[in-house]
Amino acid sequence: MSRRARNIVATGVALALAGLLLAGCGNSKSPNMLDPKGTEARDIASVWWLMFGLAAFVYIVVGGLIIYAVRKGRRRSRAERDANDSVEPDTPRFDDHMVLWGGIVVPLVILFVLAVVTVTTTNALRRPASDALRIDVVGKRWWWAVSYPTTHFVTANDIHLPAGRPIELHLTTADVIHSFWVPQLAGKVDMIPNQDNLLRFVAKTPGTYRGECAEFCGLQHAHMDFVVVVQSQGDYDRWVAEHAQPPVEPASELADEGQVAFDSEACAGCHTIDGTPAQGKVGPNLTDLGERPYLGAGALENTPENLKQWITNAQRSKPGALMPPIQLSSAKASAIVAYLESLQ
């Protein structure tokens, strides 16, 4: 095999390995920042595509010039060997033009275009809207507290938004630095202790979008996800009306037993369920736990089996979580599960 063929094979193998490594970084559920569904994500993606296009253009031009120089140098060497004579070098005038255009003019034009687009986009992202819906989000280890000041409703790890309406998220943290990121709706914003950071955007397309913490924040950083549910204005208004009311009484005898057990065990000391004696503030508000798709900020799917496992030993699924193991009989744990799953 010639040297050139070996280089081609080595390049192909390297590209294949790089593709495998990149494919291992995500799956079908991974959010795609290049598929924007919100105004801010769309503007950021547009800047990214511009930067990618310019970088590709520069790469192709520079790569082409390198190949041209190498081929020209080889031809010159062969000519010198064959004729034992020198080849006329490039004129100084040609070199001067290359330095002027390739080293000064073109880079300045590219940087100027990027600067104008970046500054313009940043100003547009920070512009407030007069009728924005305010939602407060507090990052905690390792979950998200979400409250709606206008309706005084509190939830956790799920955020409901109306499509087409300006949103203003107030972001802070109760402990270490976190970073709030929903790639398909908006860019990342760090959550810093004692600092109120703002994130403004408009979610355009109804759907369910995955969000995550983008700043390493400790042992369970990888299990600090949340879900953003974008609804039509009508569906969102119905969701708000339903959650403005306290939970209905348990519909089954088992769920009723579960409420009694929840209020008498350690659960009520850490969690709040609106309209009940449970008013703990340490853990997430569980008033609508039954409609959430995940437990433990993405650690487990919300099924009765997983919920029972979570209640009795959350450390098994999320080591380091503040919720300690709870000694409960199987019957009492099943009753609490029935009660919590009825909360919607």
Side-chain angles (χ1 to χ4, degrees), residues 52 59 78 106-107 132 163 175 187 200 258 270 275 283:
F52 177 78
Y59 180 84
R78 284 198 296 269
V106 174
D175 36 59
R200 300 185 176 99
C270 293

Side-chain angles (χ1 to χ4, degrees), residues 27-34 181-184 209-212:
N27 54 45
S28 59
K29 296 181 179 180
S30 298
N32 183 1
M33 62 172 290
L34 299 181
W181 190 25
V182 191
Q184 289 184 275
Y209 304 100
R210 176 185 165 190
E212 57 194 15

Side-chain angles (χ1 to χ4, degrees), residues 271-303:
H271 298 281
T272 291
I273 297 178
D274 295 341
T276 74
Q279 296 296 315
K281 303 298 182 184
V282 178
N285 186 304
L286 303 181
T287 304
D288 63 341
L289 178 68
E291 68 177 35
R292 297 176 193 166
Y294 299 102
L295 303 169
L300 295 170
E301 290 188 11
N302 188 0
T303 66

Side-chain angles (χ1 to χ4, degrees), residues 66-117:
I66 292 175
I67 294 174
Y68 171 77
V70 170
R71 292 174 64 87
K72 187 174 182 180
R74 288 180 175 177
R75 285 199 302 269
R76 179 183 298 170
S77 298
R78 284 198 296 269
E80 288 175 350
R81 287 197 302 269
D82 295 341
N84 194 22
D85 195 3
S86 62
V87 177
E88 287 296 326
D90 292 330
T91 64
R93 183 181 181 82
F94 177 78
D95 293 340
D96 292 343
H97 286 172
M98 283 295 295
V99 172
L100 176 64
W101 288 96
I104 299 177
V105 176
V106 174
L108 285 178
V109 171
I110 291 175
L111 292 176
F112 178 76
V113 170
L114 287 177
V116 170
V117 172

Side-chain angles (χ1 to χ4, degrees), residues 23 40 48 93 106 118 141 182 200 217 220 230 233 238 265 271 308 317 325:
E40 181 171 283
W48 186 91
R93 183 181 181 82
V106 174
T118 302
R141 290 186 298 178
V182 191
R200 300 185 176 99
C217 55
Q220 287 297 330
V230 179
Q233 185 65 54
R238 281 188 287 276
E265 295 288 345
H271 298 281
K308 187 174 183 179
S317 305

Side-chain angles (χ1 to χ4, degrees), residues 139 171-178 190-197:
L171 306 171
T172 188
T173 174
D175 36 59
V176 300
I177 295 176
H178 302 282
D190 283 349
M191 308 170 82
I192 300 172
N194 302 316
Q195 182 169 317
D196 183 24
N197 287 342

